[in-house]
Amino acid sequence: MDKTLLKTEGTIIVRLFPSLAKALPKVITTRVVGGMATGGLAVIVSVLDLIHEVNSGDYDAAAAYGVSIIGTGMTMYGGMLLAQVAGKGAGWLALAGPWGWVALGLTLAIAGGVAAVFLDDEPLEEWLKRGPFGRENDSEFKHLKNDPDESFYRLTNLLSRPRIAVKNVYNFNINAVKRGYAPTLEQDRKLSAINAEVTIENNLYGLLDEVSLRSELRIVEASYMGSSWGLGARQVTRIQNVKVVVEEPLENGIKLYLELPERKSGSTVSGLEVRAQWSSIWSGADRCRKLVFPAPKLADGTRFDPAAHGDPDFESDKLLFWASQKTHGTS
């Protein structure tokens, strides 16, 4: 970390920016460059967050990010002063000034970042501010301001809660008999093979008149080549056939009982992935429209396209208009 990378004395930087030379140490080490790089990255991230908050009209969170940027800049400046003074072999008293810059800068940077988290508007608060009843109007929420049907759709999505849970099941046939069910020998054989349960729920059923649920399940096998720890090249094989033995309707969804094959061992890992999509027909102000849930984030104006969003993507958990077991539930 103390390796010398550059000496500032006599360089073009000092000639063009004499005021900067007062803050720069005479010897630029790996430690100084690393501190400036990480500090600069923190400033860039905070600036991007600030711009986003300004565009979305959340000015209090933007101000907090501004304080964090100032604090990070003070920390970087204090770090350069510290390196400069330490390079001259100064005592502890001389180091007090640079340490003061670092301490104050870190305090402002951390406090600003924490404040921004608490001041950031919740999605429902953003809808209230920028929806059809809000007074704020900005570039990121035009799809809410100009379309009452879209605003209703996004509000319903904010109030919905997609939930997908997968858990193991043991002795399903025995428990079914204890609950009063009398299966035949063939039915008992099928029920005894059940070893997994998938619950798919959403309180949309209480918010809209008619809701349709589409669910897709896949067994995914990930084979690792070159290293059993997954450090080598990965080859993924996806198997389509998931055997649903019993379906149990729920008030707000469905429960599926599955017969899954045994998990692979060694360098091959297998698991179950679930995708779910809810839809409803809504008679809006001037037209009937198909509402598909879960909708994108509030600031995302993407409309549902059957060609692009009609089928689940098991290569990614971030496909719009689909809930996944990994992003909306517990395993």
Side-chain angles (χ1 to χ4, degrees), residues 31-51:
R31 189 188 308 276
V32 174
V33 174
M36 294 174 65
T38 53
L41 179 61
V43 168
I44 292 173
V45 172
S46 295
V47 167
L48 293 176
D49 287 331
L50 185 150
I51 294 173

Side-chain angles (χ1 to χ4, degrees), residues 152 155-157 159-163 201-212 250-253 278-280 282 293:
F152 168 79
L155 175 61
T156 307
N157 182 71
L159 298 176
S160 69
R161 289 292 180 269
R163 299 177 297 278
E201 298 176 293
N202 198 325
N203 55 355
L204 277 172
Y205 293 87
L207 299 174
L208 299 171
D209 292 336
E210 295 184 5
V211 178
S212 299
L250 304 174
E251 289 185 359
N252 56 353
W278 294 263
S279 61
S280 179
W282 164 252
F293 302 89

